[in-house]
Amino acid sequence: EVSTDDPEMAFCTLANREELNPEIDSIHHCLYQFTRNETLTETNKLLCDVCTQRHCGPKNNIKSEKKYVYTNAKKQMLISLAPPILTLHLKRFQHAGFNLQKVNRHIKFPEVIDLAPFCTAKCKNVAEGNTKVLYSLYGVVEHSGTIRSGHYTAYVKMRAMNNHLSDLVLRGQSQASATEPVKGQWFNISDTHIQPVSVSKVLSSQAYLLFYERLL
């Protein structure tokens, strides 16, 4: 069952997504594609209860007559509740005939990301009038190897406790106003081996999992 209190706002976002013009092979382009507006036609038409009732009469006659009415529709997946912790899982495999192949190309991702263009205009835990939903990167998981074998390593930022994030997790609200990435030192972790690394090293990794914490 599909329902909305305000149909005119169903496809509206907190920030104008059409101004994004996301770069190919970037996390922004991935999010843009995942949340794009789709038209459902032909075999993908939506079963319309209103149209069916108009055509068949009262509800109690619908099942017996089995005359369902399908109609063209629009579909869009948007974020309705901005999470305290944002986890992005990249699909790093593709079908090649009957086999699977690993996708090794680099996907660009920022240290601070704004989810507003991918959030519904009435996002539940975003203050009215706010047009930014910012997150700061604090962890990356990278996989090296093939689709069948390999090794996982991680990049983790050691930083001070984020009190604003704690408020958001515990009480569902935050007064955070930071727009810059949370300060801290990045480390590369591979089994028992740990070494400090630069931000540029982290951002050049072939991310498999990305972890962001809410800023604004």
Side-chain angles (χ1 to χ4, degrees), residues 79-133:
I79 298 169
S80 63
L81 183 69
I85 299 297
L86 173 67
T87 304
L88 299 176
H89 184 183
L90 279 68
K91 179 182 175 183
R92 285 206 167 271
F93 67 89
Q94 62 185 5
H95 290 275
F98 294 101
N99 299 317
L100 289 177
Q101 289 183 345
K102 185 183 174 186
V103 177
N104 287 310
R105 67 177 178 271
H106 176 65
I107 302 298
K108 294 182 180 179
F109 55 94
E111 197 174 358
V112 172
I113 190 169
D114 184 6
L115 278 194
F118 316 110
C119 292
T120 177
K122 292 188 175 181
C123 199
K124 297 181 180 66
N125 57 348
V126 176
E128 187 175 352
N130 198 343
T131 58
K132 288 185 179 294
V133 184

Side-chain angles (χ1 to χ4, degrees), residues 21-149:
N21 192 23
E23 185 179 355
I24 299 295
D25 289 343
S26 69
I27 202 69
H28 285 99
H29 187 260
C30 294
L31 288 168
Y32 186 86
Q33 290 293 98
F34 188 78
T35 59
R36 73 185 186 279
N37 193 318
E38 300 178 61
T39 302
L40 306 178
T41 60
E42 298 180 354
T43 57
N44 292 320
K45 284 184 178 181
L46 194 69
L47 172 62
C48 178
D49 288 337
V50 175
C51 301
T52 300
Q53 289 180 41
R54 188 183 299 126
H55 179 75
C56 302
K59 268 190 175 181
N60 56 358
N61 293 330
I62 294 176
K63 289 185 178 180
S64 59
E65 295 184 18
K66 294 184 179 180
K67 293 180 180 178
Y68 301 110
V69 177
Y70 294 82
T71 183
N72 294 337
K74 288 184 178 181
K75 168 191 167 185
Q76 186 174 27
M77 296 178 66
L78 295 171
I79 298 169
S80 63
L81 183 69
I85 299 297
L86 173 67
T87 304
L88 299 176
H89 184 183
L90 279 68
K91 179 182 175 183
R92 285 206 167 271
F93 67 89
Q94 62 185 5
H95 290 275
F98 294 101
N99 299 317
L100 289 177
Q101 289 183 345
K102 185 183 174 186
V103 177
N104 287 310
R105 67 177 178 271
H106 176 65
I107 302 298
K108 294 182 180 179
F109 55 94
E111 197 174 358
V112 172
I113 190 169
D114 184 6
L115 278 194
F118 316 110
C119 292
T120 177
K122 292 188 175 181
C123 199
K124 297 181 180 66
N125 57 348
V126 176
E128 187 175 352
N130 198 343
T131 58
K132 288 185 179 294
V133 184
L134 301 181
Y135 287 81
S136 177
L137 183 72
Y138 75 90
V140 180
V141 173
E142 185 178 37
H143 179 268
S144 58
T146 67
I147 196 76
R148 293 184 177 84
S149 65

Side-chain angles (χ1 to χ4, degrees), residues 146-174:
T146 67
I147 196 76
R148 293 184 177 84
S149 65
H151 181 59
Y152 289 97
T153 56
Y155 293 93
V156 179
K157 180 190 281 187
M158 187 177 73
R159 65 223 186 278
M161 181 177 177
N162 187 336
N163 293 321
H164 297 302
L165 184 64
S166 299
D167 291 340
L168 187 62
V169 172
L170 297 175
R171 289 181 281 276
Q173 58 185 2
S174 172

